[in-house]
Amino acid sequence: MKNIKKYLTSLVFTAVLAASVYAQDAGRTALPFLKMDMGARYYGMAGAATALADDVTGMAFYNPAALGMVESFQLAGTTSEAQLDMKYHHGALAFPVGFLSIFGNNPLNIAFSGYVFDKGDTDDVYSRKIGDDWSFSFGIGEHIGTTAWEVFGTSSDLEHYIGVTGKYLRSELAQPGEGNVKGDAFAFDAGYTAVLDRHFGVGVAIKNIGTDIKYIEEKDPLPATLSAGLFFVPVDVEGIHWTLSGDFISYLKEKENRVRIGTEMYLFDMLAVRGGVKLMEEIKEEWTLGFGLKLFGFEIDAGTILNPQLNDDKVYQISVAYKFPVSKKDAYSEKEKERNEYKEYKKKQQDTAFERAQRNANPLIYQ
């Protein structure tokens, strides 16, 4: 418990320090794709995923701590159509490395991801590509420990996860006439998530902290972001799993804030219906809608934005992921062992306290 507090204190201190440095001056930022939502599941929930993210796609765009929840080899890919003929694509893989562990108790999870943002074509006589943006990232995450809670005689487990991601970024812009200019940057993300019995969770992440990107002479900063979120499962019965999530997002350089609210309902752990709303946007709120299907280890998701201001632009995302099966038997047995040991410990404490009370009440009997 002391180690967990020490690591979390260091993480929070680093996040606050970085946020204070990057929030000094308001202004424009480069690489706007870093502020876009990615992954059709989260896209359909308005991007309210700082606490909810639990897979390799969530690690890359919402909270690196999501990587700590990966239990087996994962592959994921997303393709998206945006307004003004813009397109973007993402692919990622993650896997646990059993012989590595930073905190000594759990396998270290590792992930690689790549992203391409096609900004469309120019309107000039050349009718050529505006240019592409790329992102390549490497992340690590781990389940760092469990805090046992006992409330009204019921034992609960608070699971702690952290993660860090490093990113190489490249951007390309069309120049007047012919030719493109290119710029490069490096950045990192860091995050923490705590989940209570898989029914309530909170998360915090700081993202896109890195070098300015320079095309010719002028430099522009990255869109440094601080986000905090939570999720809650109000209904979890046979055949229905309903989740609510919410995020508060602060773009530090632009000094702008956003609020995201999302919901997801799984039916028989197979079919999903999702929705969400983005508040405090530049023009007006945006509503989202999404659907999902789980089948034989595959997860197929689709999401879209319901915004009449997009006119006839088709705005959607489609994601496909495969999560290799993971044996729950060993994990379940280990968890049951921890619970039983904790119950035995509490029972011994209660028996000792009862015996002391009896001795104090009847000292002659125990002589």
Side-chain angles (χ1 to χ4, degrees):
M1 184 62 183
K2 290 182 179 179
N3 288 336
I4 293 175
K5 289 182 178 179
K6 180 179 69 175
Y7 295 130
L8 296 183
T9 300
S10 300
L11 179 64
V12 171
F13 175 77
T14 302
V16 171
L17 179 62
S20 64
V21 171
Y22 273 78
Q24 289 178 357
D25 299 310
R28 70 175 187 178
T29 58
L31 303 182
F33 79 86
L34 293 173
K35 298 162 64 175
M36 295 179 178
D37 295 319
M38 178 55 65
R41 178 195 177 193
Y42 308 116
Y43 195 76
M45 300 178 68
T50 301
L52 185 69
D54 60 1
D55 57 18
V56 65
T57 303
M59 173 280 302
F61 287 90
Y62 299 98
N63 190 340
L67 185 56
M69 304 180 199
V70 170
E71 297 179 299
S72 64
F73 194 94
Q74 291 186 8
L75 287 169
T78 298
T79 184
S80 180
E81 186 87 16
Q83 59 267 37
L84 303 176
D85 295 326
M86 294 185 294
K87 302 177 180 65
Y88 41 107
H89 314 283
H90 175 253
L93 64 89
F95 52 91
V97 183
F99 58 88
L100 290 178
S101 177
I102 295 177
F103 299 94
N105 298 318
N106 300 280
L108 181 70
N109 295 324
I110 293 176
F112 300 89
S113 72
Y115 177 94
V116 178
F117 177 37
D118 179 354
K119 294 184 285 240
D121 299 329
T122 63
D123 294 328
D124 58 22
V125 294
Y126 299 99
S127 185
R128 56 198 174 84
K129 288 175 64 68
I130 295 175
D132 295 338
D133 291 338
W134 297 274
S135 171
F136 302 96
S137 65
F138 169 76
I140 58 174
E142 191 170 326
H143 172 217
I144 63 174
T146 303
T147 303
W149 284 13
E150 186 166 345
V151 181
F152 303 115
T154 301
S155 179
S156 299
D157 293 328
L158 184 66
E159 312 289 352
H160 304 272
Y161 306 90
I162 64 170
V164 178
T165 302
K167 298 186 286 190
Y168 166 70
L169 307 164
R170 164 159 282 205
S171 180
E172 191 176 82
L173 291 176
Q175 294 187 100
E178 296 184 4
N180 293 342
V181 293
K182 298 178 181 179
D184 301 275
F186 295 90
F188 80 91
D189 305 340
Y192 162 73
T193 300
V195 180
L196 182 64
D197 287 342
R198 297 186 179 273
H199 283 79
F200 177 80
V202 295
V204 61
I206 186 163
K207 297 171 289 185
N208 308 320
I209 305 300
T211 61
D212 294 346
I213 189 164
K214 179 181 178 181
Y215 294 102
I216 300 176
E217 294 297 332
E218 187 175 352
K219 294 182 178 180
D220 289 323
L222 302 179
T225 306
L226 180 64
S227 63
L230 57 84
F231 77 85
F232 173 59
V233 180
V235 177
D236 188 13
V237 297
E238 186 174 357
I240 300 177
H241 185 88
W242 178 34
T243 304
L244 295 172
S245 63
D247 274 16
F248 176 80
I249 302 170
S250 179
Y251 299 122
L252 303 177
K253 276 294 183 180
E254 298 93 327
K255 295 189 176 179
E256 297 175 350
N257 300 320
R258 302 284 186 267
V259 173
R260 309 285 176 83
I261 299 173
T263 184
E264 174 183 66
M265 180 176 290
Y266 260 104
L267 303 176
F268 304 103
D269 198 32
M270 182 180 295
L271 298 173
V273 180
R274 306 181 179 104
V277 60
K278 300 180 180 182
L279 303 175
M280 301 173 63
E281 295 294 313
E282 293 181 357
I283 302 177
K284 63 177 298 184
E285 68 275 3
E286 292 182 347
W287 296 86
T288 62
L289 178 67
F291 301 93
L293 173 66
K294 287 183 181 180
L295 200 62
F296 305 118
F298 286 94
E299 297 183 8
I300 303 171
D301 300 299
T304 187
I305 293 178
L306 307 176
N307 188 340
Q309 295 181 359
L310 296 176
N311 299 321
D312 295 328
D313 287 344
K314 298 177 181 179
V315 178
Y316 64 85
Q317 284 193 13
I318 297 175
S319 297
V320 178
Y322 182 75
K323 299 178 181 179
F324 283 70
V326 57
S327 174
K328 296 292 185 180
K329 182 176 179 181
D330 293 340
Y332 179 79
S333 300
E334 188 66 27
K335 186 62 66 176
E336 280 297 299
K337 180 181 177 183
E338 292 178 2
R339 287 182 180 273
N340 291 334
E341 289 177 350
Y342 180 71
K343 289 179 181 178
E344 290 178 5
Y345 169 73
K346 295 298 292 185
K347 188 175 184 303
K348 287 181 181 180
Q349 281 190 324
Q350 293 172 355
D351 291 344
T352 301
F354 178 77
E355 183 179 342
R356 288 176 180 172
Q358 290 288 357
R359 286 178 180 274
N360 293 333
N362 304 283
L364 295 177
I365 298 178
Y366 289 90
Q367 285 183 350

